[in-house]
Amino acid sequence: MEQQVDIEKLQNLASQVRRDVLRMVHAVQSGHPGGSLGCTDYFVAMYFEIMDYKVPFKPDGINEDLFFLSNGHISPVWYSTLAHAGFFDVSELSTFRKIDSRLQGHPATEEGLPGIRVASGSLGQGLSVAAGAAQAKKLNDDNHTVYVLMGDGELQEGQVWEAAMYASHHKIDNLVATIDYNGQQIDGPTKDVMDLADLKAKWESFGWTVVESNGNDMDSIVKAMKHAHSLTRKGRPVVNLMSTEMGFPIDFMVGTHKWHGVAPNDEQLEQALGQLEETLGDY
Amino acid sequence: MKFSFTEKKDTRSGFGDGLLEAGKQDERIVALCADLTGSLKMGAFQNEFPERFYQTGIAEANMMGLAAGMTIGGKIPFTGTFANFSTGRVYDQIRQSIAYSGKNVKICASHAGLTLGEDGATHQILEDVGMMKMLPHMTVINPCDYNQTKAATLAIAKHEGPVYLRFGRPKWPVFTPEDQTFEIGKAIKMIEGSDVTIFATGHMVWYAIEAEAKLEEMGINAEVINIHTIKPIDREAIIESVKKTGCAVTAEEHQINGGLGESVASVLSRELPAPLEIIGVNDSFGESGKPEELLAKYGLSPEAIVEAAQKVIKRK
Ligand SMILES: Cc1ncc(C[n+]2csc(CCOP(=O)(O)OP(=O)(O)O)c2C)c(N)n1
Ligand SMILES: [Mg+2]
């Protein structure tokens, strides 16, 4: 019998993570709230329901599931999630993007922040790293799974498709990629900037098994990731096309690309926090 | 202070305004951008000349190849993205399709160096000048303020051959004249002096000017030279100045390895051996923080230039 998932507990966590994200970018008036808010449910689901990982952090990642953030600009949501998952103290979130901090603007290993295994920020590189890590697991007879998140605009980078071809050719079936399918990027909607067209057909034609989900519905994302996991070890890599809204659920942030990389001012912060319950206490 | 400023402006806006003007002067000019139109200030060109503006999406390698191809139809392409994604990300595309093939592409690169600030080391490229100056045929330019960046943009539009134009994100003092003509490869003597020469490039030219004022208070007479073109380097200007002063300091927002300092050292060691101190980032990556905080932490400050000048004079 599968254990009952406590969706409400996950939703409460997500509310707190979203508050952290907004307060972090507001404090330094820089960073990327839009994608971070859109992907919060995914991060909470991954770290509090889906993945089997070790705390304290071990960089070699042997005998645990691995997570890579390829769209490194949404670092605030990852940092907050890692802190709540016990990798470091939540008080450290207040150092985000400040000088001498371990919480770099984009994820980095240089300062030794627990939870991070490779730097990201320059887009398009994470799927290659994840595929390599998944192959290392196979060589090690390590029966854990490698997860990676990418932006949809990020898929415009050619390297993503080099990695996609490689992963299916080499039958890397312990790998689950997720796409933050929010339809937005810096210069506008992806369909105007550089149309991704039929993404599902693209991944299928590259030999991947495709799962679809609503990334702003905790139940949907938990089920989708469990389903994705059940499809591993069947000879094909798996990708989850996760529909999200950039800026979710803040009413004045959704429906536009404008909040990709802009911090809220004092008034906007107040307004946004008013829409998110403080469930675990602000850092 | 021998120079003053009334406003601060970002050098990337100098590029954006220069590109618009260049586009009006020459209809062969086309612009390409990889999902950073706002950051590169290319919106004005895009609005004025939508049919000559190409959005490539987040695909910089493709952008470099497209630009090379457009030159074959007689176009003069200006590519725009961050300095990191304009160089390291696409080095072989630039090397083969642009530099080796002698293509008239202008690689325009914003957010260079530490001063992009909070985004941190993944974006703070400090190796771009080195990579670009190593490429045969490539011209490498790093102007010092808004006005000079605008003038440089207009100048490279008229220059035949591949160019790397480097500029930045922060608002920075505007202290050079609005109506300057920009001569590629010709260093500009900003302040005349006799005890030590400070060769600076990009944002560091302003710090060199600040350092000169502090040195003057100490009774040291420094010459300040703006090396906006790192390649081809103005060897005559370097030799003429150091013949007089007998020693030099260089300052740049770049790794010491591969930067302006090494270019100056190469000229001096072969033609006029003289003591030289090099101010730059000393073989490390950057980090997140405020631009001026970062410059200070990594040893790029007017005070550091002053100290280096005092030290190098003692070595004469
Ligand atoms: C190689 C590279 N090119 C450009 C950028 C600048 N950049 C950062 S985020 C971004 C847009 C990413 O779009 P998407 O992946 O859809 O993320 P979202 O905006 O939805 O968060 C761009 C162009 C970068 N970080 N890396
Ligand atoms: Mg997107």
Side-chain angles (χ1 to χ4, degrees), chain A:
Chain A
M1 264 291 288
E2 224 186 297
Q3 251 191 318
Q4 195 63 34
V5 180
D6 188 345
I7 293 292
E8 201 180 313
K9 185 189 127 206
L10 297 178
Q11 286 168 335
N12 282 341
L13 261 158
S15 185
Q16 190 61 49
V17 169
R18 286 189 163 99
R19 287 182 68 92
D20 293 351
V21 164
L22 285 161
R23 295 177 65 246
M24 286 162 75
V25 299
H26 169 264
V28 284
Q29 285 297 298
S30 83
H32 301 78
S36 298
L37 294 170
C39 290
T40 301
D41 301 301
Y42 167 81
F43 273 86
V44 168
M46 292 299 289
Y47 277 87
F48 292 90
E49 190 57 41
I50 303 297
M51 287 200 297
D52 171 26
Y53 57 86
K54 292 178 183 158
V55 181
F57 176 65
K58 294 202 183 55
D60 68 15
I62 289 172
N63 286 322
E64 59 179 318
D65 290 342
L66 302 183
F67 175 76
F68 294 100
L69 178 65
S70 189
N71 46 336
H73 59 278
I74 69 167
S75 58
V77 61
W78 195 16
Y79 296 157
S80 168
T81 307
L82 286 172
H84 289 287
F87 284 85
F88 52 87
D89 199 274
V90 287
S91 64
E92 200 170 341
L93 296 176
S94 67
T95 69
F96 175 60
R97 282 185 169 241
K98 292 180 182 159
I99 199 160
D100 297 325
S101 170
R102 298 197 294 178
L103 278 61
Q104 290 294 299
H106 294 78
T109 55
E110 183 97 351
E111 295 78 13
L113 187 71
I116 296 174
R117 294 191 168 87
V118 72
S120 61
S122 180
L123 295 166
Q125 304 187 23
L127 188 58
S128 301
V129 176
Q135 286 191 305
K137 283 216 176 293
K138 284 181 179 267
L139 278 174
N140 289 342
D141 290 322
D142 174 348
N143 200 30
H144 284 78
T145 304
V146 176
Y147 297 94
V148 57
L149 180 66
M150 290 176 277
D152 52 359
E154 183 180 11
L155 302 184
Q156 292 155 357
E157 287 287 358
Q159 184 182 346
V160 173
W161 303 99
E162 296 174 22
M165 193 184 303
Y166 180 94
S168 74
H169 175 83
H170 287 280
K171 302 187 168 42
I172 305 179
D173 58 1
N174 54 343
L175 174 64
V176 179
T178 297
I179 312 301
D180 175 20
Y181 202 1
N182 61 11
Q184 308 285 354
Q185 58 189 106
I186 291 183
D187 279 353
T190 51
K191 69 170 172 14
D192 299 339
V193 174
M194 183 57 52
D195 197 353
L196 300 163
D198 191 342
L199 256 195
K200 189 174 181 209
K202 281 192 171 70
W203 285 100
E204 278 170 348
S205 74
F206 272 74
W208 287 58
T209 300
V210 178
V211 167
E212 290 170 286
S213 62
N214 175 358
N216 294 142
D217 179 298
M218 192 61 84
D219 197 41
S220 168
I221 189 64
V222 167
K223 284 193 177 123
M225 291 312 297
K226 289 197 169 191
H227 181 50
H229 182 261
S230 76
L231 295 169
T232 60
R233 281 124 197 125
K234 297 191 193 304
R236 291 158 68 97
V238 181
V239 61
N240 170 19
L241 295 183
M242 178 177 78
S243 298
T244 65
E245 278 226 60
M246 188 179 268
F248 185 86
I250 307 305
D251 55 10
F252 62 90
M253 290 189 171
V254 293
T256 163
H257 63 278
K258 301 252 156 61
W259 292 91
H260 159 90
V262 175
N265 62 27
D266 295 351
E267 207 176 301
Q268 290 162 333
L269 177 72
E270 277 315 302
Q271 212 180 323
L273 292 180
Q275 299 172 34
L276 295 165
E277 199 184 335
E278 186 183 338
T279 49
L280 302 173
D282 289 336
Y283 66 82

Side-chain angles (χ1 to χ4, degrees), chain B residues 71-252:
Chain B
T71 65
I72 296 169
K75 304 302 168 199
I76 306 174
F78 281 63
T79 65
T81 181
F82 292 161
N84 188 14
F85 317 135
S86 295
T87 56
R89 179 94 195 176
V90 292
Y91 197 59
D92 192 44
Q93 283 77 13
I94 293 175
R95 183 175 180 274
Q96 174 172 294
S97 302
I98 296 175
Y100 182 44
S101 301
K103 294 292 176 262
N104 191 23
V105 174
K106 315 304 172 189
I107 300 160
C108 302
S110 184
H111 292 52
L114 293 169
T115 52
L116 73 80
E118 288 85 352
D119 272 346
T122 51
H123 289 51
Q124 284 160 345
I125 198 154
L126 296 164
E127 302 84 29
D128 53 329
V129 168
M131 281 188 273
M132 290 296 121
K133 81 175 187 184
M134 277 200 297
L135 287 173
H137 304 329
M138 187 65 73
T139 294
V140 179
I141 298 174
N142 189 185
C144 65
D145 71 356
Y146 167 90
N147 284 338
Q148 192 160 83
T149 308
K150 187 172 173 189
T153 305
L154 289 161
I156 65 172
K158 297 203 173 81
H159 169 88
E160 180 70 32
V163 175
Y164 179 62
L165 181 68
R166 178 193 215 233
F167 41 91
R169 173 176 187 256
K171 294 213 184 330
W172 206 252
V174 181
F175 57 96
T176 69
E178 213 181 313
D179 56 357
Q180 64 192 287
T181 46
F182 187 91
E183 249 187 281
I184 296 171
K186 195 103 188 81
I188 300 172
K189 192 185 289 176
M190 308 292 291
I191 298 172
E192 181 97 40
S194 53
D195 296 333
V196 56
T197 309
I198 305 169
F199 296 107
T201 191
H203 292 137
M204 288 301 111
V205 176
W206 178 252
Y207 277 6
I209 286 165
E210 290 191 336
E212 188 275 339
K214 291 180 204 288
L215 287 164
E216 190 180 33
E217 285 170 22
M218 301 170 181
I220 295 172
N221 198 230
E223 178 145 304
V224 176
I225 296 187
N226 172 5
I227 308 266
H228 53 63
T229 306
I230 294 160
K231 186 187 171 192
I233 192 122
D234 190 346
R235 52 170 288 285
E236 275 152 37
I238 294 169
I239 289 166
E240 191 196 298
S241 177
V242 177
K243 255 189 193 148
K244 177 176 61 177
T245 61
C247 65
V249 173
T250 61
E252 64 196 298

